[in-house]
Amino acid sequence: MRQLAQLRDEFTRFMMSYEFGVAEMLTKINILREEFTHIHRYSPIEHVSSRVKSAESILRKVQRKDVPFTLDGIREGIQDIAGIRITCSFISDTYRLAEMIGGQSDVTVLETKDYIARPKPNGYQSLHLIVEVPVFLTDRVQPVRIELQIRTIAMDFWASLEHKIYYKYDRNIPERLLDELTEAATAATMLDQKMERLHTEVEQWKGTTGGTTDRFDIPVPAELVELLARHRPIIDGKNGDGRIGGQ
Ligand code: 0O2
């Protein structure tokens, strides 16, 4: 009975360390998001979500992957007990973010899978990083692994729909739907590339106009300023004498 209570306690601490790891990483992401927004005046991160796998889901994966049934075995054999998904505005932001996170001195990147440069055959695109962060507990420092999935809005839209279809058809997606998903993946890539090009153009334009998108800073041609000044009363809906136009 005492052994069982000890086991339960150890497992609770095991799961808690993942919760702490996620909290730590979310703080890092939030700091990057806020500082980046302050410097560049736009947020590279659209959305962040996180989860820690349930005990049942971990056990299913332990059986499926034939992982040793010990806490150390599970820690070593299952990389995605803690997961964070970051949705970015542009492809370049996904890499930039991965670099900023991976470059931090207390973050160790254990593995990188670049499904953006090399999409999966079904069209899946995402940048996956397995990182390890130290969690400072009362009696020890526990390194915790977290799977980061970084992708654009278009890639995320595709992945969540594909995920639903995958489970709806119990992993056997009909050929017709597979073809349509591949087509949709190509469309998502084209959209991402177009948005990236537009974004680069806007960034260059911001660079030449003092780095602000404030609408009052858009350079207005002198002739237009003069024209607006001449027609000011009409635009304001007033005649030159201050009466409402037409009355
Ligand atoms: P779930 O239900 O999302 O958690 P692993 O089995 O994780 O140890 P694997 O499969 O080589 O090793 O890892 P990979 O390729 O990095 O994929 C990990 C996760 O990426 C998956 O977790 C999915 O969340 C996502 N993913 C990978 N491929 C696809 C895909 O084709 N479509 C979609 N929608 N998501 C994908 P899980 O545990 O497989 O699933």
Side-chain angles (χ1 to χ4, degrees):
M1 198 64 183
R2 242 201 15 235
Q3 241 181 343
L4 202 67
Q6 193 187 342
L7 209 68
R8 201 181 53 194
D9 181 54
E10 273 180 36
F11 189 69
T12 304
R13 290 189 80 196
F14 173 85
M15 293 302 281
M16 277 172 91
S17 68
Y18 285 97
E19 297 281 356
F20 298 148
V22 166
E24 204 173 294
M25 188 50 80
L26 287 178
T27 302
K28 285 177 177 295
I29 295 166
N30 218 19
I31 289 171
L32 290 176
R33 177 195 230 163
E34 292 204 11
E35 206 221 4
F36 192 98
T37 306
H38 177 70
I39 297 172
H40 299 280
R41 300 195 183 204
Y42 87 89
S43 173
I45 299 172
E46 289 289 335
H47 185 71
V48 180
S49 59
S50 64
R51 64 107 181 88
V52 173
K53 265 190 194 293
S54 65
E56 295 76 38
S57 177
I58 295 172
L59 289 182
R60 268 200 304 274
K61 205 156 186 174
V62 164
Q63 286 170 340
R64 186 156 53 85
K65 296 190 81 180
D66 211 9
V67 166
F69 194 47
T70 60
L71 292 185
D72 282 343
I74 296 172
R75 207 177 269 124
E76 201 51 44
I78 301 184
Q79 315 282 348
D80 67 340
I81 293 176
I84 298 182
R85 187 169 293 155
I86 308 170
T87 316
C88 291
S89 316
F90 306 102
I91 300 171
S92 54
D93 288 337
T94 61
Y95 290 109
R96 185 143 46 163
L97 204 64
E99 251 180 57
M100 288 191 290
I101 294 171
Q104 301 194 359
S105 57
D106 56 347
V107 177
T108 310
V109 179
L110 300 174
E111 194 183 333
T112 303
K113 285 187 196 163
D114 189 351
Y115 295 126
I116 296 179
R118 286 171 300 281
K120 284 192 157 184
N122 62 357
Y124 178 76
Q125 290 188 79
S126 190
L127 186 58
H128 291 188
L129 262 63
I130 304 292
V131 297
E132 198 169 68
V133 287
V135 168
F136 292 83
L137 299 172
T138 49
D139 57 350
R140 64 180 192 278
V141 180
Q142 178 65 60
V144 172
R145 288 184 191 177
I146 301 169
E147 183 191 67
L148 299 180
Q149 295 185 354
I150 312 176
R151 55 202 190 208
T152 64
I153 304 167
M155 292 171 196
D156 191 56
F157 189 25
W158 184 95
S160 53
L161 184 64
E162 192 265 356
H163 195 259
K164 276 183 206 142
I165 294 175
Y166 187 70
Y167 284 105
K168 176 173 160 44
Y169 288 95
D170 203 14
R171 296 156 205 257
N172 290 308
I173 306 179
E175 199 68 33
R176 180 185 61 82
L177 281 182
L178 276 179
D179 289 347
E180 288 206 55
L181 276 169
T182 311
E183 249 176 61
T186 309
T189 305
M190 281 164 67
L191 178 66
D192 270 336
Q193 287 169 351
K194 195 171 206 93
M195 298 307 266
E196 184 82 47
R197 274 199 299 276
L198 288 172
H199 171 63
T200 308
E201 241 177 74
V202 171
E203 286 299 295
Q204 281 165 355
W205 172 78
K206 272 165 70 180
T208 58
T209 58
T212 169
T213 49
D214 192 317
R215 64 197 174 100
F216 296 114
D217 287 327
I218 297 171
V220 182
E223 307 89 275
L224 186 57
V225 174
E226 202 205 322
L227 195 75
L228 283 170
R230 259 193 287 132
H231 292 86
R232 181 93 245 164
I234 299 170
I235 293 165
D236 285 348
K238 292 175 182 172
N239 291 321
D241 57 5
R243 288 180 293 117
I244 302 294
Q247 280 185 1

